[in-house]
């Protein structure tokens, strides 16, 4: 493809480690040119610039002045709003890492800014592109298991450390980090919003200053009941980083998704460790393809800012519920 | 010779009879069932026309009838100074439970409720690991018990009034197990299908907060189609403990034609071990693995879960109302 026809993209911050794989996949696409990056952590910026052989700009403003059409935002959660609004005002389309922000107001401002400036905002929920998930959704859409009655979900993880455990930067711990993916899947599958959320939340696993475990229970409009475990509860000795699972109970059948179970067992004496090597298809590349195609063919984002807001709202509702020790009705007031 | 009379000859009655017969010094004198046809399925024992006659001939009554009928037989047993084994749950409501406990304590009656998980090798070993802090302190626990829907006699399971739905049928087992491991429950939030009017099946999800801080997620289902299975996962502060009945299994058999089964056999089935513990209690007075207070506490939490499904609100446990 001629260089001029390529979608030119800039990376805003490598604070979230997904920036790494996203950049690598984008650079592997024939229709994309990654122009450069900007990172407020200069050292990290230089390292990434060297690794990917792309230009590191002093700051985001400079990056945004370049001839680019779109940006990928992988900063700390608390900076999403500032960067997204800046990018929107510079008329760049945006792929924003999840969660959309750390509070409803910021999310609304981001959505507004994109609308006002005529740019598209897509949320990075790669789980929508997991093969087991898309197949499950198709089976449900075909009516093969009848009306959905209940969903039991998990998105377990390991303790991430870094800014993830600094509430000022992340907006919350395990519940903020791991509620949004699966809630987004449930909303997408059911086409319904969460009506009521109840949560028990604690920091008892790692005993740091931030929540690391809990269980959420919610009910959707229309009556579907659901739970979700977002805990950072996989120990260091566990075979893998975590999971995404959905047990979907229908009137005429049950579907179980265990999205990262495509595993080869490895027993490594040098590390004294048994681990899983994943052989599944890559969901990130499909998500990025969708983002790039959105720009190339002027399509609506597959996953909107509103999707990001509604998923985050459930996490915020969970925190409120745990504090009040009672169920909380959504939308939040 | 200990003479046992079995009331209710359904799935559990038959199983109990089979086990009691294998305990030395125990004789099943007869059975009573409101449905005489059911009695006929029990060979080698007397079929009683009335429960009063059965009571006359036995020292021990074994109650295996639908949950909402437990109380009247327990009260009769206490009155007639019989030792009583009753399948879980103790009874259907807290009012009934309070009545039973008051009378049982007054008369020092020997009553045991069939919370069988304590007698399963795998659950007893998980409890042992928890006590030994094998992976540190448990923080978030997930426990599951799923099966297909069983109609039982006259489809009594599908009546919330009679059975209490899947919460009082299946989830109560895991509630007892978790209380055995972690002690008292602080509060419970639960959701199910039956309270929403779904018929001939049930599925329930509950979140418990224990006084010791443990958060537990419970799943109980009559809506699964590929047979009975259970699992336990305890995420702890220094590791993780997990068990799943689906795998691994110690025995897998496949036959030409496609029939196959998997199993993990043990020396003595849990029901037999449980009933032996009960018989030992009636003989020596040695308190079995669970006493009536445990069964009462477990019922209280289970009924609180059921209440939560109806109100959509969290229920705080006020322990020991009796
Ligand atoms: N521990 C376990 O694993 C386990 C498993 C299943 C059931 N249970 C419990 O066992 C009890 C019985 O369940 P089941 O599965 O055997 O049910 P079932 O329907 O198979 O059997 C119940 C029997 O009781 C008879 N019956 C009904 N009302 C009666 C009455 N008033 N007096 C005398 N007989 C009466 C019925 O005719 C039937 O034969 C229930 O309390 C249930 O909760 C325990």
């Amino acid at each position: 493809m001629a260089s001029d026809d390529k979608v030119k993209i800039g990376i805003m911050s490598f604070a979230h480690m997904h920036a790494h794989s996203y950049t690598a996949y984008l650079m592997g696409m024939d229709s994309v040119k990654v122009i450069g990056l900007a990172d407020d952590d200069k050292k990290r910026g230089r390292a990434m610039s060297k690794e990917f052989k792309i230009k590191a700009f002093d700051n985001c403003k400079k990056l945004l002045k370049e001839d680019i059409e779109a940006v990928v935002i992988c900063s700390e959660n608390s900076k999403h709003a500032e960067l997204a609004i800046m990018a929107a005002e510079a008329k760049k389309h945006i792929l924003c890492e999840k969660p959309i922000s750390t509070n409803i107001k910021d999310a609304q401002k981001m959505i507004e800014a994109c609308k006002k400036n005529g740019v598209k905002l897509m949320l990075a929920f790669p789980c929508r592109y997991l093969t087991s998930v898309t197949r499950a959704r198709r089976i449900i859409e075909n009516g093969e298991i009848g009306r959905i009655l209940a969903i039991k979900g998990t998105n377990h993880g390991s303790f991430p450390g870094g800014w993830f455990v600094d509430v000022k930067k992340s907006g919350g711990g395990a519940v903020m980090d791991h509620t949004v993916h699966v809630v987004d899947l449930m909303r997408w599958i059911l086409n319904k919003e969460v009506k009521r959320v109840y949560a028990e939340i604690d920091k008892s696993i790692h005993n740091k200053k931030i929540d690391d475990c809990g269980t959420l229970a919610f009910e959707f409009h229309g009556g579907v009941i659901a739970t979700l475990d977002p805990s950072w509860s996989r120990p260091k000795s566990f075979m893998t980083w975590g999971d995404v699972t959905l047990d979907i109970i229908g009137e005429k059948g049950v579907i179980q998704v265990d999205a990262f179970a495509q595993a080869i067992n490895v027993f490594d004496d040098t590390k004294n460790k048994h681990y899983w090597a994943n052989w599944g298809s890559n969901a990130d590349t499909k998500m990025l393809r969708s983002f790039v195609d959105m720009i190339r063919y002027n399509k609506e984002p597959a996953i909107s800012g509103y999707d990001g807001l509604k998923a985050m709202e459930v996490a915020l509702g969970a925190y409120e519920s745990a504090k009040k020790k009672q169920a909380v009705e959504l939308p939040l007031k | 010779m200990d003479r046992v009379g079995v009331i209710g000859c359904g799935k559990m009655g038959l199983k109990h009879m089979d086990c009691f017969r294998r305990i030395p010094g125990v004789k099943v004198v007869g059975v009573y069932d409101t449905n005489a046809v059911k009695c006929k399925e029990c060979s080698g024992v007397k079929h009683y026309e009335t429960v009063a006659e059965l009571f006359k001939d036995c020292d021990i009554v074994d109650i295996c009838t639908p949950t909402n009928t437990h109380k009247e037989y327990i009260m009769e047993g206490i009155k007639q100074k019989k030792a009583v084994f009753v399948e879980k749950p103790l009874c259907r409501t807290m009012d009934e439970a309070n009545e039973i406990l008051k009378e049982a304590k007054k008369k020092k009656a020997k009553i045991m409720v069939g919370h069988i998980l304590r007698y399963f090798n795998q659950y007893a070993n998980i409890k042992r690991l928890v006590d030994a802090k094998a992976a540190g302190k448990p923080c978030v626990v997930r426990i599951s018990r799923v099966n297909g829907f069983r109609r039982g006699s006259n489809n009594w399971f599908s009546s919330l009034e009679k059975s209490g739905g899947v919460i009082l049928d299946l989830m109560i087992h895991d509630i007892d197990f978790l209380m055995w491991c972690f002690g008292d429950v602080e509060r419970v939030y639960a959701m199910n299908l039956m309270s929403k009017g779904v018929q001939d099946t049930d599925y329930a999800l509950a979140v418990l907060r224990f006084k010791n801080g443990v958060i537990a997620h419970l799943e109980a289902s009559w809506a699964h189609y590929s047979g009975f299975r259970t699992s336990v996962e305890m995420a702890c502060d220094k590791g993780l403990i997990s068990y799943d009945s689906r795998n691994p299994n110690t025995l897998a058999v496949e036959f030409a034609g496609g029939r196959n089964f998997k199993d993990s056999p043990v020396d003595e089935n849990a029901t037999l071990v449980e009933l032996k513990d009960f018989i030992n209690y009636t003989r020596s007075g040695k308190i079995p693995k669970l006493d009536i207070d445990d069964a009462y506490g477990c019922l209280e939490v289970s009924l609180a879960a059921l209440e939560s499904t109806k109100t959509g609100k969290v229920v705080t446990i006020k322990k020991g109302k009796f």
Side-chain angles (χ1 to χ4, degrees):
Chain A
M1 190 181 282
S3 180
D4 283 354
D5 297 336
K6 294 195 182 196
V7 176
K8 299 186 192 72
I9 295 176
I11 314 293
M12 294 172 94
S13 179
F14 274 76
H16 197 295
M17 58 278 193
H18 284 168
H20 207 264
S21 48
Y22 294 170
T23 305
Y25 297 138
L26 286 170
M27 290 181 75
M29 287 181 197
D30 185 41
S31 50
V32 172
K33 187 163 184 337
V34 179
I35 298 296
L37 66 91
D39 200 318
D40 53 6
D41 181 333
K42 295 277 172 294
K43 211 172 127 203
R44 184 172 56 209
R46 274 197 302 275
M48 291 300 118
S49 152
K50 218 168 127 192
E51 178 171 342
F52 290 108
K53 298 188 180 64
I54 52 174
K55 191 167 172 196
F57 293 85
D58 284 349
N59 55 49
C60 285
K61 286 223 164 67
K62 284 198 180 143
L63 172 67
L64 290 170
K65 284 207 182 95
E66 288 297 304
D67 173 26
I68 56 176
E69 286 158 274
V71 294
V72 175
I73 298 177
C74 279
S75 66
E76 298 85 345
N77 301 340
S78 61
K79 294 181 190 156
H80 284 177
E82 184 198 334
L83 297 185
I85 292 165
M86 201 193 288
E89 284 169 355
K91 313 283 183 219
K92 314 297 180 199
H93 302 298
I94 298 163
L95 177 68
C96 182
E97 183 54 49
K98 50 69 31 182
I100 183 166
S101 60
T102 56
N103 60 70
I104 302 277
K105 256 206 190 98
D106 276 357
Q108 283 166 342
K109 278 193 221 156
M110 291 164 71
I111 294 168
E112 272 307 303
C114 290
K115 208 167 131 192
K116 208 173 100 200
N117 289 289
V119 295
K120 300 174 204 283
L121 169 62
M122 176 165 161
L123 253 284
F125 283 135
C127 292
R128 285 207 197 181
Y129 298 89
L130 290 163
T131 46
S132 50
V133 170
T134 52
R135 177 86 78 89
R137 185 165 178 266
R138 206 160 353 138
I139 292 168
I140 292 164
E141 274 182 346
N142 289 343
E144 291 177 64
I145 65 163
R147 189 163 63 94
I148 304 305
L149 303 170
I151 308 183
K152 179 185 73 155
T154 66
N155 183 193
H156 291 121
S158 321
F159 191 71
W163 62 264
F164 283 90
V165 301
D166 176 353
V167 71
K168 282 204 269 333
K169 292 183 173 157
S170 60
V175 172
M176 184 55 113
D177 191 29
H178 275 185
T179 293
V180 292
H181 282 300
V182 172
V183 166
D184 178 65
L185 292 182
M186 291 178 180
R187 289 179 64 250
W188 188 49
I189 286 167
L190 296 170
N191 276 313
K192 290 272 174 8
E193 300 296 349
V194 174
K195 180 167 154 250
R196 182 186 304 133
V197 56
Y198 176 80
E200 291 287 351
I201 301 175
D202 215 323
K203 51 181 174 51
S204 48
I205 299 183
H206 307 281
N207 274 303
K208 297 280 158 46
K209 284 201 186 93
I210 199 156
D211 60 289
D212 57 27
C213 65
T215 300
L216 279 57
F218 27 87
E219 188 174 326
F220 283 83
H221 286 281
V224 175
I225 58 175
T227 57
L228 168 60
D229 183 339
S231 306
W232 289 332
S233 55
R234 304 301 95 171
K236 291 196 253 331
S237 48
F238 205 65
M239 299 85 69
T240 186
W241 59 270
D243 62 31
V244 169
T245 74
L246 289 169
D247 284 29
I248 304 164
I249 317 301
E251 250 172 350
K252 293 187 294 184
V254 173
I255 295 177
Q256 281 175 281
V257 171
D258 188 355
F260 293 93
Q262 286 160 315
I264 296 162
N265 286 295
V266 183
F267 299 85
D268 182 349
D269 267 359
T270 65
K271 296 192 190 82
N272 243 323
K273 180 139 169 117
H274 164 206
Y275 68 88
W276 283 359
N278 191 286
W279 55 263
S281 306
N282 190 315
D284 286 356
T285 52
K286 275 180 276 188
M287 178 185 75
L288 292 163
R289 167 63 57 203
S290 164
F291 177 63
V292 170
D293 285 351
M294 170 191 91
I295 298 164
R296 286 178 74 196
Y297 306 116
N298 191 23
K299 291 202 280 198
E300 284 309 305
I303 309 162
S304 69
Y306 184 73
D307 290 329
L309 187 155
K310 293 311 277 183
M312 179 186 64
E313 185 176 50
V314 178
L316 295 173
Y319 283 118
E320 189 175 320
S321 162
K323 211 162 93 193
K324 290 186 173 162
K325 299 192 173 94
Q326 50 183 264
V328 167
E329 303 289 323
L330 298 185
L332 291 173
K333 282 186 198 79
Chain B
M1 187 60 76
D2 294 308
R3 300 169 307 157
V4 176
V6 177
I7 307 175
C9 311
K11 180 184 152 189
M12 292 318 284
L14 290 171
K15 198 165 178 180
H16 284 194
M17 226 174 301
D18 195 46
C19 291
F20 272 128
R21 283 171 167 158
R22 283 193 261 166
I23 304 174
V26 173
K27 182 176 188 300
V28 178
V29 289
V31 296
Y32 169 75
D33 195 302
T34 41
N35 180 354
V37 177
K38 287 289 195 168
C39 284
K40 298 221 170 68
E41 285 165 19
C42 309
S43 55
V45 289
K46 191 170 165 190
H47 304 158
Y48 286 86
E49 302 260 315
T50 68
V51 76
E53 290 169 84
L54 176 71
F55 267 98
K56 253 183 235 151
D57 288 353
C58 67
D59 320 300
I60 293 169
V61 287
D62 175 23
I63 303 165
C64 296
T65 55
T67 299
N68 63 318
T69 66
H70 288 180
K71 190 211 116 190
E72 56 167 319
Y73 291 123
I74 297 172
M75 296 305 276
E76 189 61 25
I78 298 174
K79 195 167 146 205
Q80 299 206 26
K81 297 198 168 27
K82 311 289 180 196
V84 175
F85 187 93
V86 57
E87 254 311 334
K88 50 48 51 181
L90 173 62
C91 52
R92 176 60 186 80
T93 68
M94 278 326 277
D95 283 347
E96 292 174 351
N98 287 327
E99 215 180 303
I100 293 167
L101 248 84
K102 207 169 138 206
E103 204 57 17
K105 302 245 155 164
K106 204 161 92 193
K107 301 274 169 60
K108 296 196 167 54
K110 283 181 174 165
I111 303 177
M112 179 172 164
V113 184
H115 288 292
I116 196 168
L117 254 57
R118 300 188 186 209
Y119 297 92
F120 271 98
N121 277 11
Q122 52 273 58
Y123 287 87
N125 275 290
I126 293 169
K127 153 93 164 136
R128 216 166 293 151
L129 288 164
V130 169
D131 290 346
K133 300 201 162 41
K137 183 173 65 73
C139 300
V140 192
V141 172
R142 299 179 66 76
I143 195 159
S144 165
R145 187 162 297 272
V146 310
N147 208 349
F149 180 65
R150 208 162 65 81
R151 297 182 72 82
S153 55
N154 292 322
N155 200 13
W156 72 273
F157 282 109
S158 77
S159 155
L160 201 53
E161 278 62 45
K162 289 179 181 162
S163 70
V166 77
I167 290 178
L168 282 204
D169 181 41
L170 295 183
M171 191 179 279
I172 197 168
H173 282 294
D174 290 321
I175 291 174
D176 173 63
F177 172 67
L178 294 178
M179 291 178 77
W180 190 38
C181 291
F182 306 128
D184 289 340
V185 172
E186 176 75 39
R187 56 183 176 267
V188 50
Y189 184 84
M191 306 171 297
N192 71 352
L193 299 182
M194 231 184 209
S195 296
K196 293 185 182 300
V198 175
Q199 306 242 304
D200 282 348
T201 189
D202 198 10
Y203 180 81
L205 296 164
V207 183
L208 302 190
R209 176 69 97 154
F210 283 81
K211 288 218 159 82
N212 77 350
V214 167
I215 297 169
H217 174 275
L218 297 91
E219 174 192 39
S221 173
W222 287 337
H224 282 64
Y225 300 88
S226 55
F228 182 63
R229 56 186 194 262
T230 70
S231 64
V232 184
E233 181 192 280
M234 295 185 178
C236 310
D237 66 350
K238 290 189 178 60
L240 186 135
I241 294 169
S242 86
Y243 160 79
D244 191 322
S245 65
R246 271 172 297 184
N247 62 70
N249 284 282
T250 54
L251 181 70
V253 183
E254 45 192 299
F255 300 98
R259 190 166 69 84
N260 62 67
F261 73 89
K262 281 182 182 172
D263 200 3
S264 289
V266 288
D267 282 344
E268 275 190 321
N269 80 63
T271 311
L272 179 56
V273 184
E274 173 190 56
L275 294 178
K276 275 183 173 171
D277 200 23
F278 168 66
I279 291 295
N280 190 28
Y281 171 45
T282 66
R283 288 173 182 166
S284 71
K286 187 184 162 289
I287 303 294
K289 266 191 172 177
L290 81 154
D291 60 21
I292 190 158
D293 292 330
D294 295 331
Y296 178 94
C298 172
L299 181 69
E300 188 174 25
V301 174
S302 307
L303 287 172
L306 200 53
E307 186 189 324
S308 175
T309 67
K310 289 175 187 155
T311 60
K313 296 202 166 94
V314 64
V315 180
T316 303
I317 307 299
K318 299 183 214 69
K319 209 186 159 242
K321 271 185 280 194
F322 59 89

